Amino acid sequence: MSGFFGIFCDQAVRDGDVRTDCDDAAEVLAARLEPRGPHGLGRWQDAQVVIGHRLLRETPESTHESQPLLDASARYVLAFDGRLDNRNALFSVLGDDAPRASDCPDAALVLAAFLRFGYEAPERLLGDFAFLIWDRTARRLFCARDPLAGRPLYFAKTRLGLFVCSSDEAMVGVLGVSAAGNEVKAASLLLPTLVQDDEFSSWRRDVCVLHPGSTLSWSPTAAARETRYWHFKHPAELRLARHEDYVDAFAAALDGALARRLRSYGAPGMLLSGGIDSASIITAARHEPKSLAALDGRAMRTYSAALDDSAGCVETRAIEALIAAGACEPHLVRLPSFHGSPFTKAEFTACHWAIGHPIEASLLNHIPLLEQARRDGCTSILTGVGGDITTGYPDAVFPMGGSTFGRIREMLTLSRSASKHHTYMQGARCSTILARSLLRTFPAALRDPIRRARATLRISPSYAAEIEVAKKIFNEDFFRRNQLLERLREFASPTPFISAIDPSSGEQVSLDWLAHGQVGYDRIAGHFGLAHRDAWCDLDLIGFYLSVPLAHRAHGAWTKALVRDYLDRHAPESVARRSDKTHIGWRFYPALEQVHTVARDTEKESIALEKLELAKNNYSFANIGFDDLFHISRGVWSDSHSELMHRVDLLSSVFRFGAMSATSRTNADLDARRV
């Protein structure tokens, strides 16, 4: 992870004031991007363009790297943020056109690929990346972003031309970019259908997001144009003899994905929870050959949040069991004592408020862990956040074959097991699970007419309720100005941006939330000079997992059955076979100074009401209280206060993300909150 920016003017800058504006903007951006790139600053400019780069040394090859990078002819200027996972393949295909040094930085390989393949170069790259290339001769800008949004890229039209940057926060107040929020995006936090109104749009009114797997082209004589170069293709079904063979194949796929992310400058760090996805990563690092080779004798540094008293917390006991297995250097932040935290509670509160996060406010709870990793010298941080999406949440069980009677009998057995062990079906009636399973066994041709009819009607179960909720939550001017009724109708039948049809089930597979998780963790880790790396957000691993027949993915009616069967080989049973869903992160909230306790629902409601007032005052919401909002929205999100409070918390986070002045995001201000 690094940070870069580019200011591209419509015409050569001859006016002294305009040149001063560009120079001043470059200075501000260089300062704001310093947390993303603390190891070096580079800058290139001519009469029309300013390109800047802040470097984070996250791979061994970046030891002596400097950017922006020019080709031998000095025609092309590159600024790159990311990590390439197919370096050997690129060297092979480039041949004599490859850089001479085998230890050249990833940026040099990207530039060589562009010189060889032109605008099709992004299709040849594998890994987390975003980059811009300026063609000095043709006066043309070309940008690209990886398929799963491993690195961010934002752009905005300004009075001078086009403005590109790795951080939308850094863009605020620069060259006229407003801090105003995207009202429809904010409204989507209370109206789930609106999430489909371009899920990857910016939370800023003036800022655009380059979509995952897309390129951007611009020139002074042609408007910015975005083109999608990558589409998710569902893999063919994998056929192996035994279930154990699938477990072996999963171990190899996970090993490859992890090894690619262990290529790091210095010791790699990891956010270790007691969950299945996190446990699989630390287990692979200890036992699988490619991962062991990539670590090369280095110990994995792990960072965890755990309770002071582990007796009543399955998650804490799972973390302690994983640490006890050895081969890691653990660091624990204990709650509620905050023992082991680099911050006091007051400092954590200040930092929590300073880093507004519009995607998932609970990610801010990782702040103490990320700061400790930074102090320990880590430049990359591993997570398993994408595991839930990659492995999916099957709401049915799938027998492996046999006679019709045998299949139904097996389904009944598995349905009983699911009601006991499946994380998301625990407590459900066996008959309900069995009915879902039987429906999934029907050929896709029998289900397609229902799917097509629903798509034609463009009506989702909550659509009508959402319209009524929207009319009551938002005042008339807000409702009309943002065309909420039209948007709700248009997006009542959503189409995921990154999706394909699973041929084995006929179901639509969406990977959108993988990209959302990447964006969220990159945003938070970027404040601490850490490159986020998710082993589960790996195209090869995703392709493998989706090629496994559903019967083996849901083996034994356990959630993430393949992963658990793999963990059975190496991890304690208390880790591999836990079926609860504990979230220690929420225990951070009582530590916030302004939140004295969240133990009782009445106090939770009071806190949520304060956040709702912020939202009402800044988003023109109707004058309603928390109880009114709860009753209005029943059936849209859920019947629980906790779910609604989560939405309001996100809404409040969006407000403070947009309301803070640009000057509050300077590096000096962030450093002051860290101390």
Side-chain angles (χ1 to χ4, degrees):
M1 180 207 70
S2 296
F4 62 78
F5 64 87
I7 301 170
F8 304 90
C9 300
D10 290 331
Q11 56 189 356
V13 176
R14 297 184 176 87
D15 183 282
D17 291 339
V18 175
R19 170 52 63 192
T20 299
D21 288 346
C22 290
D23 290 341
D24 290 347
E27 293 295 329
V28 171
L29 291 167
R32 293 182 181 176
L33 290 174
E34 185 177 357
R36 291 187 66 89
H39 297 147
L41 169 63
R43 180 168 160 180
W44 179 92
Q45 68 184 74
D46 64 10
Q48 194 173 350
V49 173
V50 181
I51 298 174
H53 187 273
R54 300 282 331 196
L55 177 67
L56 175 74
R57 303 195 190 284
E58 64 165 300
T59 65
E61 297 82 8
S62 65
T63 303
H64 303 294
E65 181 178 8
S66 63
Q67 293 189 48
L69 185 65
L70 278 71
D71 72 313
S73 69
R75 173 176 176 173
Y76 298 103
V77 187
L78 166 79
F80 172 80
D81 168 25
R83 182 200 71 255
L84 292 181
D85 293 336
N86 62 334
R87 286 174 57 90
N88 291 339
L90 285 173
F91 272 109
S92 178
V93 74
L94 288 172
D96 293 339
D97 295 329
R100 293 183 179 180
S102 60
D103 61 348
C104 69
D106 288 351
L109 270 173
V110 172
L111 185 55
F114 178 80
L115 294 175
R116 173 74 173 274
F117 302 110
Y119 300 117
E120 296 179 357
E123 301 173 28
R124 304 278 184 157
L125 307 179
L126 179 66
D128 300 339
F129 63 83
F131 65 84
L132 68 81
I133 293 179
W134 174 245
D135 183 339
R136 300 176 63 192
T137 302
R139 314 303 291 176
R140 180 178 180 182
L141 172 68
F142 178 73
C143 305
R145 193 178 181 201
D146 72 89
L148 292 180
R151 295 292 186 269
L153 203 157
Y154 303 91
F155 62 97
K157 177 68 177 176
T158 72
R159 66 182 187 278
L160 299 181
L162 196 72
F163 176 17
V164 176
C165 191
S166 298
S167 168
D168 53 350
E169 295 177 75
M171 299 172 78
V172 173
V174 177
L175 300 177
V177 175
S178 171
N182 180 338
E183 289 187 327
V184 175
K185 196 77 169 178
S188 72
L189 291 173
L190 293 179
L191 300 173
T193 292
L194 290 182
V195 172
Q196 305 299 329
D197 188 357
D198 190 357
E199 290 187 75
F200 296 99
S201 61
S202 171
W203 292 91
R204 299 288 188 194
R205 184 191 65 195
D206 292 351
V207 177
C208 300
V209 179
L210 180 59
H211 288 69
S214 299
T215 63
L216 177 73
S217 60
W218 175 90
S219 73
T221 59
R225 179 183 179 185
E226 186 172 338
T227 304
R228 192 167 180 184
Y229 71 84
W230 179 87
H231 295 269
F232 173 54
K233 296 179 181 178
H234 202 287
E237 189 168 84
L238 180 65
R239 295 289 185 179
L240 299 176
R242 304 173 305 135
H243 179 71
E244 282 300 307
D245 295 335
Y246 286 100
V247 180
D248 292 339
F250 165 72
L254 178 63
D255 185 27
L258 178 58
R260 287 187 282 274
R261 284 155 182 77
L262 288 174
R263 184 170 64 93
S264 64
Y265 179 84
M270 177 184 176
L271 295 181
L272 177 65
S273 74
I276 298 299
D277 309 317
S278 186
S280 66
I281 293 174
I282 192 67
T283 300
R286 288 168 174 158
H287 297 281
E288 302 306 326
K290 291 181 180 178
S291 297
L292 286 169
L295 280 169
D296 193 24
R298 298 172 299 174
M300 183 86 79
R301 291 176 174 170
T302 63
Y303 301 89
S304 309
L307 299 190
D308 293 310
D309 181 9
S310 61
C313 180
V314 176
E315 178 89 352
T316 297
R317 295 199 301 274
I319 291 170
E320 292 172 344
L322 289 168
I323 290 174
C328 68
E329 295 180 4
H331 185 96
L332 293 171
V333 173
R334 294 284 186 174
L335 299 172
S337 69
F338 250 57
H339 177 73
S341 171
F343 295 121
T344 65
K345 293 182 181 180
E347 289 167 344
F348 173 58
T349 301
C351 203
H352 197 285
W353 183 259
I355 305 176
H357 194 282
I359 296 175
E360 175 57 80
S362 66
L363 298 186
L364 293 167
N365 297 327
H366 295 303
I367 286 173
L369 307 179
L370 296 174
E371 171 63 9
Q372 187 61 51
R374 184 187 72 86
R375 294 186 183 187
D376 289 344
C378 296
T379 60
S380 62
I381 195 79
L382 282 160
T383 71
V385 64
D388 283 348
I389 309 301
T390 298
T391 59
Y393 297 137
D395 59 353
V397 292
F398 306 90
M400 295 188 183
S403 65
T404 302
F405 176 75
R407 286 166 59 88
I408 294 176
R409 183 171 59 184
E410 185 179 358
M411 277 187 174
L412 180 59
T413 300
L414 292 173
S415 297
R416 289 170 177 161
S417 177
S419 67
K420 296 178 181 178
H421 302 303
H422 195 287
T423 304
Y424 303 99
M425 290 189 279
Q426 275 185 334
R429 292 182 178 179
C430 179
S431 57
T432 300
I433 300 173
L434 179 61
R436 288 177 178 173
S437 303
L438 289 171
L439 182 61
R440 291 288 186 92
T441 63
F442 292 166
L446 296 180
R447 297 195 304 270
D448 282 347
I450 300 175
R451 185 180 292 110
R452 286 196 297 269
R454 183 172 172 181
T456 301
L457 293 172
R458 300 185 68 81
I459 294 177
S460 63
S462 64
Y463 168 58
E466 279 193 58
I467 292 178
E468 294 304 313
V469 169
K471 289 179 179 179
K472 294 177 181 178
I473 292 178
F474 306 106
N475 64 38
E476 184 177 350
D477 178 64
F478 184 97
F479 195 89
R480 183 178 59 254
R481 182 172 69 248
N482 292 291
Q483 299 178 309
L484 294 189
L485 182 60
E486 292 79 1
R487 291 176 183 273
L488 284 168
R489 285 174 175 165
E490 181 179 0
F491 294 100
S493 182
T495 300
F497 185 77
I498 308 174
S499 66
I501 299 298
D502 184 343
S504 66
S505 67
E507 298 297 321
Q508 183 168 249
V509 177
S510 171
L511 300 180
D512 282 354
W513 285 105
L514 277 176
H516 281 296
Q518 294 260 72
V519 171
Y521 275 85
D522 176 89
R523 184 185 297 276
I524 297 302
H527 281 283
F528 299 91
L530 295 167
H532 172 245
R533 299 178 175 184
D534 185 356
W536 282 97
C537 284
D538 181 272
L539 289 175
D540 288 348
L541 179 57
I542 293 168
F544 161 78
Y545 208 94
L546 294 179
S547 73
V548 175
L550 288 170
H552 293 277
R553 286 189 247 163
H555 183 235
W558 284 84
T559 322
K560 306 177 183 179
L562 266 185
V563 190
R564 293 178 187 274
D565 292 343
Y566 167 69
L567 289 175
D568 280 338
R569 299 176 174 181
H570 305 291
E573 183 179 1
S574 59
V575 175
R577 293 298 159 181
R578 57 173 294 200
S579 57
D580 65 299
K581 188 66 175 176
T582 307
H583 189 355
I584 288 184
W586 294 110
R587 302 295 184 98
F588 275 100
Y589 282 113
L592 300 180
E593 277 193 332
Q594 68 269 34
V595 181
H596 299 295
T597 179
V598 292
R600 298 197 304 274
D601 284 344
T602 54
E603 290 167 344
K604 287 183 180 180
E605 292 171 21
S606 175
I607 296 163
L609 183 60
E610 294 175 9
K611 294 180 177 180
L612 181 60
E613 288 298 321
L614 288 175
K616 289 187 326 191
N617 294 337
N618 289 275
Y619 290 111
S620 305
F621 289 176
N623 187 25
I624 56 177
F626 180 77
D627 286 337
D628 295 327
L629 183 60
F630 171 69
H631 290 297
I632 289 171
S633 61
R634 286 176 72 99
V636 173
W637 285 107
S638 74
D639 289 340
S640 69
H641 279 64
S642 60
E643 176 64 19
L644 181 57
M645 282 185 289
H646 178 57
R647 313 311 304 177
V648 174
D649 183 60
L650 286 173
L651 198 61
S652 171
S653 186
V654 175
F655 155 68
R656 67 176 187 255
F657 177 74
M660 290 186 296
S661 66
T663 55
S664 71
R665 293 190 191 84
T666 63
N667 188 50
D669 187 59
L670 183 59
D671 282 344
R673 286 185 169 89
R674 286 178 179 169
V675 175

